[in-house]
Amino acid sequence: SMPITPHDREYLQMVGYWSGSKRARDLARWYLTEVVPDYTGPSFNDRTAYWYDVIFRTAGDVMPASQLPLAYVAKGTGFVSVRSSWQDDATSLAVSGSPIIDQSHAHYDVGSFTLWKHDWLAVDATSYSSSGLNWSSDAHNMVHMAGSERRGGTIPGLQRTFDATDLTYLAIDATNLFRARPQADVVTLAN
């Protein structure tokens, strides 16, 4: 029930075509058939992208999302997604536990989360921005440190996870995300 756009279709077409994983291709085909079947939508319409349907068409098995586990930890990025079920009225929680911020578009959001059930229950400003590039930590649901600067670098990130039928536990360390700049580093410009 979360909002989707034709951008989702384009992304999943690439996964379905290029992925070396049969499971990923089968799941992408289900998503392309059941969730975003074309390039039109209420919030975004890109009929000019139909050429993707010709170039990146795939045939094969379809695997519905209901066959996936309810929790997923992206080992490379530390992002975690947890659902209460695969039913339409499920609750979905997404948490950022990224261990490194090293790109110009990387968000200073380690430890932030979004929560969905029929609509956003906890959402960040980035979700409503026009570009999604609102990377500052104050644009995300997370702990803030007054007077500290947000800087990139190595951050411990996701440390522990535990998932069971009735419980999901996450431990995220955001040490080094907020650091005060020493006064010796401050340059004053005078006239």
Side-chain angles (χ1 to χ4, degrees):
S1 297
M2 291 175 74
I4 58 163
T5 73
H7 287 301
D8 300 302
R9 181 172 179 80
E10 178 185 354
Y11 175 75
L12 267 294
Q13 279 185 310
M14 298 300 114
V15 170
Y17 188 81
W18 294 108
S19 177
S21 164
K22 180 182 181 329
R23 184 177 185 203
R25 290 191 310 270
D26 294 351
L27 183 61
R29 278 191 285 276
W30 172 83
Y31 192 90
L32 293 169
T33 303
E34 300 296 325
V35 180
V36 60
D38 59 37
Y39 279 97
T40 61
S43 62
F44 180 78
N45 192 332
D46 188 9
R47 285 182 254 155
T48 62
Y50 276 115
W51 66 272
Y52 284 105
D53 288 341
V54 176
I55 303 296
F56 299 108
R57 176 171 292 231
T58 62
D61 296 330
V62 172
M63 183 179 103
S66 60
Q67 293 182 14
L68 292 172
L70 297 177
Y72 176 74
V73 178
K75 295 190 188 314
T77 63
F79 285 98
V80 179
S81 176
V82 182
R83 300 178 58 89
S84 60
S85 74
W86 285 105
Q87 303 300 317
D88 288 344
D89 65 342
T91 301
S92 174
L93 172 70
V95 182
S96 172
S98 183
I100 190 163
I101 298 174
D102 64 349
Q103 301 174 32
S104 63
H105 290 163
H107 291 220
Y108 295 102
D109 65 347
V110 179
S112 70
F113 66 94
T114 57
L115 186 63
W116 174 274
K117 183 172 176 80
H118 300 294
D119 200 353
W120 291 114
L121 301 178
V123 67
D124 54 32
T126 300
S127 298
Y128 289 114
S129 69
S130 60
S131 66
L133 299 180
N134 193 349
W135 54 265
S136 68
S137 61
D138 54 354
H140 300 282
N141 292 329
M142 59 187 291
V143 174
H144 299 277
M145 304 301 292
S148 294
E149 296 179 9
R150 290 93 173 155
R151 296 199 204 166
T154 301
I155 297 163
L158 183 63
Q159 300 295 297
R160 288 181 202 85
T161 63
F162 174 80
D163 185 59
T165 305
D166 57 349
L167 170 74
T168 298
Y169 170 80
L170 306 172
I172 298 173
D173 184 347
T175 302
N176 294 327
L177 182 61
F178 299 99
R179 292 175 281 169
R181 185 182 301 257
Q183 289 300 322
D185 289 349
V186 176
V187 176
T188 306
L189 299 175
N191 290 349

